[in-house]
């Protein structure tokens, strides 16, 4: 799942076009820029076939804005029970971030069994996921943070990993140059990995 930072609203459509042409179907638009909500609503209109989510959800006050923009899911970097509850009230699917067993226990207690492990590579990556597998057998992970195409394959081979988040297919330099071909190629590589594990 591409983790996307849109600074220039004009880039939202061509970027999503490149990712969609590569076969990616789920996009996370992070709430880190002023135009993030506009990008979500314009992508929802232009690409009804894609699943468009809002990333970096950190505040309760953001939830209704995200829903109004048309986001179909949300991702948070950490776990906040009140945020989880607010998303539920708005029928907004949340992929909450966790970084420890304690945070995962709290998320599980609130019914979240599909979680983002963040920042994955910094906190132990695959070894951490392996360590959590037995005590948290019902939990499925979406590791994100510091992962690139060379590591993605091994993560995806883990039985308790459903998908991976990352920005490696959208290098900042390529985005600045609007090099949609390069972004499409990098996204195609990511998509090929996904296909290999879902075939
Ligand atoms: C995120 O918000 O999920 C991360 O910033 C993505 O991590 P990456 O840029 O290291 O892939």
């Amino acid at each position: 799942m591409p983790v996307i930072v849109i600074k220039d609203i004009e880039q939202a459509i061509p970027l999503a076009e490149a990712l969609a042409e590569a076969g990616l179907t789920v996009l996370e638009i992070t709430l880190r820029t002023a135009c993030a909500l506009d990008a979500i609503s314009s992508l929802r209109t232009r690409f009804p076939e894609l699943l468009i989510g809002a990333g970096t959800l950190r505040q309760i006050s953001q939830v209704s804005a995200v829903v109004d923009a048309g986001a179909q899911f949300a991702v948070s970097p950490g776990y906040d029970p009140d945020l989880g509850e607010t998303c539920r009230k708005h029928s907004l699917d949340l992929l909450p971030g966790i970084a420890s067993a304690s945070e995962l226990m709290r998320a599980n207690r609130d019914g979240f069994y599909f979680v983002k492990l963040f920042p994955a590579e910094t906190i132990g990556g695959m070894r951490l996921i392996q360590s959590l597998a037995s005590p948290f057998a019902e939990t499925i992970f979406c590791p994100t943070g510091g992962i690139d195409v060379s590591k993605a394959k091994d993560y995806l081979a883990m039985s308790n990993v459903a998908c991976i988040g990352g920005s490696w297919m959208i290098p900042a330099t390529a985005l600045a140059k609007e090099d949609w071909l390069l972004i499409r190629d990098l996204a195609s590589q990511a998509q090929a990995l996904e296909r290999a594990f879902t075939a």
Side-chain angles (χ1 to χ4, degrees):
M1 174 166 70
V3 176
I4 301 170
V5 180
I6 305 260
K7 290 186 183 145
D8 176 356
I9 189 69
E10 301 297 327
Q11 292 182 335
I13 301 278
L15 174 60
E17 254 162 14
L19 299 172
E21 273 170 28
L24 296 183
T25 54
V26 183
L27 312 185
E28 175 188 335
I29 311 297
T30 58
L31 301 175
R32 299 181 200 175
T33 59
C35 67
L37 290 171
D38 287 342
I40 290 169
S41 43
S42 98
L43 294 180
R44 283 283 282 127
T45 308
R46 172 67 179 75
F47 300 97
E49 71 281 14
L50 299 181
L51 200 57
I52 310 285
T56 323
L57 182 75
R58 293 184 300 143
Q59 292 159 19
I60 288 169
S61 60
Q62 293 173 309
V63 175
S64 57
V66 156
V67 170
D68 290 348
Q72 291 152 294
F73 68 95
V75 185
S76 58
Y79 184 62
D80 170 354
D82 293 337
L83 189 62
E85 176 63 20
T86 307
C87 286
R88 278 232 168 85
K89 279 191 187 137
H90 284 78
S91 302
L92 179 66
D93 286 333
L94 175 68
L95 178 65
I98 65 97
S100 69
S102 301
E103 291 166 17
L104 184 48
M105 283 174 64
R106 189 66 177 92
N108 281 172
R109 195 214 284 183
D110 293 345
F112 293 98
Y113 288 89
F114 179 33
V115 299
K116 162 172 164 158
L117 184 84
F118 180 78
E121 280 289 297
T122 309
I123 58 176
M126 284 178 272
R127 286 178 55 227
L128 177 56
I129 293 172
Q130 258 156 15
S131 304
L132 294 172
S134 176
F136 296 95
E138 311 85 2
T139 296
I140 301 292
F141 296 93
C142 171
T144 305
I147 300 174
D148 60 19
V149 71
S150 68
K151 295 173 188 148
K153 198 173 166 193
D154 292 336
Y155 274 102
L156 283 170
M158 303 181 84
S159 59
N160 54 349
V161 169
C163 59
I164 295 172
S167 62
W168 78 85
M169 62 290 267
I170 312 161
T173 46
L175 194 55
K177 283 192 276 182
E178 304 198 340
D179 189 346
W180 309 127
L181 279 182
L182 175 61
I183 290 171
R184 193 189 63 193
D185 288 350
L186 293 170
S188 293
Q189 284 175 22
Q191 170 61 13
L193 283 176
E194 186 190 312
R195 258 203 316 276
F197 284 93
T198 50

